[in-house]
Each structure stands twice: as structure tokens, then as C-alpha cells.
Amino acid sequence: YKNKDILHEMGAQTIGREIWDTISDSQPPKQLIQRRIILPLTEEDLSRKHGVVPPKSILFFGPPGTGKTHFARAIAGVLSWWYIEIVPSMLMADGVEKIGLNLRMVMEKGRSLDEAVLFIDEFEEIAASRDNADRIDKSITNEFLKQVPLLKNQGNKILLVCATNYIRQLDEAMLRPGRFDCIIPVGGLDKEGSKTILQHYLSKLNTGEIDLDRVAEMASGFTPADIEYLFQQVAQFAFEQELATKQDYLVTTDTLIRIIPTIRPSLTDETIEEFEKDSVTYSRI
């Protein structure tokens, strides 16, 4: 009953396994996550036999909109574990001065659970470099540095997943071995990855003939978040067209060709170049 109350208080969710299937197998993080995280946690006897220690803490980094939150939810879904997002409002409920204390309390509650993914987005907000930080920010980072080993020493099945768009802003101590078991880059989509997400959203629309290869080519540089926004626009356009004409409207390749140029892709050449540098510098897989 105690855990049930904590789950409710922390906003625990159940995530469907199908979310894992919306991620293309060609996306490098998916294969890595399957090999380093999913399999060691699901094949426990084999892990013990070969001395494989399943991860307890992982960090995703990459440009905004590339699917870091989606991966965290997908992990919870494929493991059939609770998904709990630790949002800033949980930590700031009693004012800035109490963020460190609230962080400790939230992490203590999280450690009492079993089979749960704890997700913290915008991780740089609570684990920024202490070099030029004020007293409060330093205390928050210090508190988190204390909490990670406590969580990792728990015998229960807990996975802490953090995500940041700005890995260079994190405190150096966070990036040393012993804090996060894996530091995983999540970058842009390849063509197959784009097609998988495009197919997912197209399945929800009233569609006619679609040249998926051509659409994926036009969506080069689009993140998963960009594609989601694209289909919000497409759905609204189709709705308005049918409302105006009173005739069945099918979304076709021409529809997408018309709308895609109105959306600016998030990933520029400069963004991709910076991400590739960070991948070399910070990845630990």
C-alpha cells in the first residue's frame, strides 16, 4: 500500500510496449539500448552467469527533439515497468531554496519502488557545472551526486534515465565513470528511421497514395518532434479541406509536398557537427 501511494503521488504511468516499435531498428541508439539495457535486465539468469551487471543509471544527450524522452518511455514500455517523470514542479514546489531537499525526498521515494524507470529531462537544470554556479545551484548538483550512488546500490529494479540537450553544461563529476553506466548520444534520423515514424503517423490519417521514399527525402533534417508537428499540420489541413469541399479528402504525396516546405527542420549542418563532436567526447557505451 505504501508503494501504491508513492506511485500515485509521483504520477507513475504504464507505457504500452508498442511504443518501442515506433522506433526504427536502423536508429543506432535502439540497437545499443537493446543490447546494453533491455537484454541484461530481461535475461537475468544469463546476466548473472556471465557477470554482466545491468545498468542502473543512463544519460541520453543530443539536440532538442531527437527523441530522448521517447526512448525513455519506450524502455519502460518494453520492460513493462512503471514510468515516472521527475518534473521541475516536483522539485520547485516549496521554492528555489528547497529544491535540493525536495530532490532528496523524491529520490528516496523512487528508491523504494521496484520495476520503475525514473526519468529526468533537461538534466542540466539540476546538474550544471559548479564552476560558476551560485550556492543554491551548487547544493542541487551536490545532492544529485550523493543520490546516484544510493540508487545504484539498491537491490531493486530501478533505472534512472536522464536527458540533456546541453551535455557541455553538466558538471564534470556527473560524466565520470561511476555515475552513469551509459552515456548515449541520440541524434538525427536516417532515412529508414524517418520512414518508420512517417508510417506511424500516416496510419492515423485518411490517406491515399503516398510515395514514402520521396517524403522521407524531403523530410531530411527533421527530428521526431518535427515529424509529429508536420502531421499535426497535415491533419488540420485535411480536416479543413473536407469541411470546405464536403468531399472525402485523402492525404497524398502532394499534400505532404505542399506542407513540408513550410516547416523548418531542427537539425542544421552546424547542429549535427556539434553533436558529432560531443558524441566523440562524451559517449560511454
Side-chain angles (χ1 to χ4, degrees), residues 7 11-21 23 33-34 37-38 41-42 58 60 67-85 114-119 157-161:
L7 287 167
Q13 304 173 42
T14 55
I15 306 295
R17 184 186 176 89
E18 65 276 3
I19 191 173
W20 182 253
D21 298 326
I23 304 170
I33 290 166
Q34 174 80 3
I37 299 167
I38 305 299
L41 287 169
T42 52
I58 63 175
F60 289 132
K68 297 178 288 295
T69 301
H70 194 74
F71 269 113
R73 292 172 62 85
I75 291 170
V78 79
L79 291 174
S80 297
W81 287 11
W82 293 104
Y83 174 80
I84 298 171
E85 184 167 354
D114 195 37
E115 297 191 342
V117 171
L118 304 178
F119 177 63
K157 295 179 179 178
I158 293 288
L159 180 63
L160 174 66
V161 182

Side-chain angles (χ1 to χ4, degrees), residues 18 61 89 102 122 125 189 245 259:
E18 65 276 3
F61 71 92
S89 59
N102 287 340
E122 298 180 349
E125 294 294 328
L189 300 166
T245 64
I259 296 177

Side-chain angles (χ1 to χ4, degrees), residues 13-242:
Q13 304 173 42
T14 55
I15 306 295
R17 184 186 176 89
E18 65 276 3
I19 191 173
W20 182 253
D21 298 326
T22 66
I23 304 170
S24 170
D25 290 337
S26 69
Q27 278 187 259
K30 185 175 184 180
Q31 299 300 322
L32 176 63
I33 290 166
Q34 174 80 3
R35 181 171 59 86
R36 287 285 283 113
I37 299 167
I38 305 299
L39 290 177
L41 287 169
T42 52
E43 302 290 339
E44 296 177 81
D45 291 341
L46 193 59
S47 294
R48 279 192 292 268
K49 178 180 178 179
H50 291 284
V52 173
V53 179
K56 297 292 289 272
S57 57
I58 63 175
L59 173 65
F60 289 132
F61 71 92
T66 49
K68 297 178 288 295
T69 301
H70 194 74
F71 269 113
R73 292 172 62 85
I75 291 170
V78 79
L79 291 174
S80 297
W81 287 11
W82 293 104
Y83 174 80
I84 298 171
E85 184 167 354
I86 300 174
V87 296
S89 59
M90 282 186 188
L91 307 179
M92 299 182 68
D94 303 313
V96 175
E97 291 279 351
K98 296 290 183 68
I99 292 177
L101 174 62
N102 287 340
L103 175 63
R104 182 170 75 245
M105 292 173 63
V106 166
M107 294 297 287
E108 285 174 354
K109 290 175 183 176
R111 293 201 308 271
S112 72
L113 302 173
D114 195 37
E115 297 191 342
V117 171
L118 304 178
F119 177 63
I120 302 177
D121 199 6
E122 298 180 349
F123 184 54
E124 69 280 355
E125 294 294 328
I126 62 171
S129 172
R130 290 168 291 178
D131 291 345
N132 299 309
D134 60 24
R135 176 182 59 83
I136 293 173
D137 287 341
K138 283 181 180 179
S139 69
I140 297 167
T141 301
N142 288 337
E143 184 60 47
F144 198 86
L145 286 167
K146 296 175 188 175
Q147 290 299 322
V148 175
L150 294 174
L151 182 140
K152 293 180 71 172
N153 290 333
Q154 292 284 115
N156 50 350
K157 295 179 179 178
I158 293 288
L159 180 63
L160 174 66
V161 182
C162 298
T164 180
N165 301 330
Y166 308 104
I167 193 167
R168 299 179 190 186
Q169 294 182 13
L170 297 185
D171 192 87
E172 288 185 5
M174 288 290 175
L175 303 173
R176 293 177 191 144
R179 304 296 181 188
F180 288 101
D181 300 312
C182 302
I183 300 178
I184 301 173
V186 182
L189 300 166
D190 60 13
K191 189 173 180 181
E192 289 304 310
S194 292
K195 286 168 67 174
T196 298
I197 298 177
L198 288 166
Q199 285 176 320
H200 169 70
Y201 286 110
L202 283 167
S203 68
K204 300 181 178 184
L205 301 182
N206 185 38
T207 57
E209 188 174 339
I210 302 287
D211 184 343
L212 200 59
D213 285 311
R214 186 178 179 189
V215 173
E217 197 70 43
M218 290 189 67
S220 176
F222 278 34
T223 65
D226 292 335
I227 294 175
E228 181 180 10
Y229 177 69
L230 164 66
F231 277 93
Q232 290 171 358
Q233 299 301 107
V234 170
Q236 182 67 28
F237 178 80
F239 167 77
E240 291 176 357
Q241 288 297 305
E242 182 155 335

